[in-house]
Amino acid sequence: MSKSKPSRINAADVVVGIFFLVLGPVLVYSSLQMRVYGSFLDAPGFFPMILGIIFTIMGGILLNTAVKRNGLKELKEVIRNKEIVKGLRSDTTTRALVLIALMAVYIFGLIGRVHFTIATFLYLVVTMLYLKATSVVNIVLISIGTAIAISYAFSNFFRIPLP
C-alpha cells in the first residue's frame, strides 16, 4: 500500500483567495483613475472596474470556502514542509512566471508608449514564440489578425478609445 501525497488544494485556495481580494480593489482603484471621455459607461476603466468587483467577490468566496475546509491548516503544513520552495523550482512555475512577466511588459511597458495594435501584436508574437504554439509564419499571421481584430472591435463596435 503506497502512501500518496496529500492534496494541498485548500492551501492553494487560501493563497489565491487572498490574491484576488487584494487584486480586485487595486483594479477598481486603477480603473477609477483612467480618463473618462464621454460617460463612465464607455470609458476604458469601466470593464476593469467590473472585473475588479468580480475578483473581489470571488476571492472572498474562495477564501471563505477554503478556510472552512481547513485551508489554513494545510497552508501551515505546506510552509512548514518547505513545499513552496519545491513548487517554485518546477518547470510549470517558471513557465507561469515568464508569462506573467511578458504580460507585465505588455501592460506597463508597451501600452500607452506604443500604438495599441503594435503593442498587442508584439505581445502575442513573443508569447506564442515562448510557448512554441506553431510555426513562426503562423504566429505572425495569427498575431497580426488578432491585434487588428481587437483594435477594430474596441474602436468601432464598443466605441472604447484605446490607449
Side-chain angles (χ1 to χ4, degrees):
M1 184 179 209
S2 68
K3 198 173 190 180
S4 65
K5 186 177 177 183
S7 170
R8 300 294 189 199
I9 195 72
N10 292 317
D13 285 350
V14 167
V15 173
V16 172
I18 292 169
F19 173 76
F20 281 115
L21 276 173
V22 171
L23 178 64
V26 168
L27 279 175
V28 170
Y29 175 79
S30 296
S31 69
L32 293 173
Q33 303 306 308
M34 292 181 179
R35 185 183 322 180
V36 176
Y37 296 96
S39 71
F40 188 69
L41 293 177
D42 64 358
F46 179 70
F47 185 67
M49 184 186 72
I50 298 298
L51 283 179
I53 292 168
I54 291 170
F55 286 170
T56 303
I57 292 168
M58 293 302 176
I61 292 169
L62 183 63
L63 180 61
N64 184 46
T65 303
V67 168
K68 286 181 180 177
R69 293 182 180 166
N70 294 321
L72 291 175
K73 180 182 172 194
E74 283 183 23
L75 184 59
K76 288 177 188 175
E77 289 175 20
V78 166
I79 293 169
R80 189 177 316 117
N81 295 333
K82 298 182 181 161
E83 293 175 34
I84 293 173
V85 173
K86 295 173 195 167
L88 289 175
R89 291 183 180 155
S90 74
D91 291 338
T92 304
T93 302
T94 302
R95 191 174 174 120
L97 291 174
V98 168
L99 292 172
I100 290 169
L102 289 173
M103 194 178 306
V105 168
Y106 171 65
I107 293 168
F108 300 112
L110 294 175
I111 300 245
R113 291 180 175 85
V114 179
H115 190 281
F116 181 83
T117 307
I118 295 169
T120 302
F121 166 76
L122 292 172
Y123 168 72
L124 291 173
V125 166
V126 172
T127 299
M128 285 193 277
L129 284 173
Y130 175 72
L131 294 174
K132 298 176 182 155
T134 184
S135 70
V136 174
V137 172
N138 285 343
I139 287 172
V140 170
L141 292 174
I142 291 167
S143 298
I144 288 171
T146 303
I148 290 171
I150 290 170
S151 296
Y152 184 81
F154 273 87
S155 298
N156 296 306
F157 293 128
F158 304 126
R159 305 267 185 225
I160 297 175
L162 297 172

